[in-house]
């Protein structure tokens, strides 16, 4: 019998890139390229996939550090309870806006601490 044991190497391993940022609702609105491929900022577990008021389609990832990152205005490539690594593709933006919110223990966190 023939057995092929090949390691899996991620094809997509990116960092967040944007042109402009401004405060929006409880987080930040980033100007990105149209249909921007959104990378996960941290490794963690997908705990929500669906619509959020004022934000549109959203995926929430609970990071290994205990921080929830809400990625909004995206078409999801992740499913509920998926585990994603930092830099993993989670979806692309609906247009040229990406909304991010950072929370821990129900408290809104300052986005400046998590993005440059």
């Amino acid at each position: 019998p023939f057995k092929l044991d090949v390691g899996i190497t991620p094809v997509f391993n990116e960092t967040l890139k944007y042109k402009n940022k401004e405060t929006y609702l409880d987080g930040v609105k980033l100007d990105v390229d149209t249909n921007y491929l959104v990378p996960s900022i941290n490794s963690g577990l997908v705990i929500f996939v669906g619509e959020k008021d004022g934000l549109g389609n959203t995926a929430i990832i609970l990071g290994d550090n205990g921080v929830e990152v809400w990625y909004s205005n995206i078409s999801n490539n992740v499913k509920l309870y998926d585990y994603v690594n930092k830099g993993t593709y989670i979806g692309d933006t609906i247009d040229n806006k990406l909304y991010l919110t950072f929370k821990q223990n129900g408290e809104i966190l300052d986005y400046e601490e998590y993005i440059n």
Side-chain angles (χ1 to χ4, degrees):
F2 180 77
K3 182 179 177 187
L4 182 61
D5 188 13
V6 177
I8 298 174
T9 304
V11 175
F12 187 88
N13 186 8
E14 297 291 324
T15 57
L16 193 62
K17 296 179 179 88
Y18 57 91
K19 300 170 188 157
N20 189 35
K21 64 183 175 184
E22 64 182 77
T23 301
Y24 180 79
L25 297 178
D26 290 334
V28 62
K29 175 173 66 173
L30 302 178
D31 292 330
V32 295
D33 292 333
T34 302
N35 299 325
Y36 176 68
L37 304 178
V38 181
S40 177
I41 293 172
N42 295 314
S43 297
L45 184 69
V46 178
I47 60 169
F48 177 88
V49 174
E51 291 287 320
K52 288 286 187 184
D53 287 342
L55 297 171
N57 198 48
T58 300
I60 300 175
I61 298 175
L62 176 59
D64 295 341
N65 58 0
V67 174
E68 293 178 12
V69 182
W70 297 27
Y71 302 85
S72 302
N73 194 39
I74 65 170
S75 62
N76 293 322
N77 188 53
V78 293
K79 295 178 185 68
L80 193 60
Y81 305 123
D82 278 353
Y83 184 85
V84 296
N85 290 310
K86 181 178 180 174
T88 300
Y89 167 68
I90 58 171
D92 34 323
T93 57
I94 304 298
D95 51 30
N96 66 339
K97 303 287 185 231
L98 173 63
Y99 306 115
L100 297 176
T101 306
F102 299 88
K103 289 187 174 185
Q104 189 169 31
N105 300 322
E107 299 289 321
I108 304 297
L109 302 176
D110 181 9
Y111 66 84
E112 294 282 353
E113 294 181 31
Y114 299 94
I115 63 172
N116 299 332

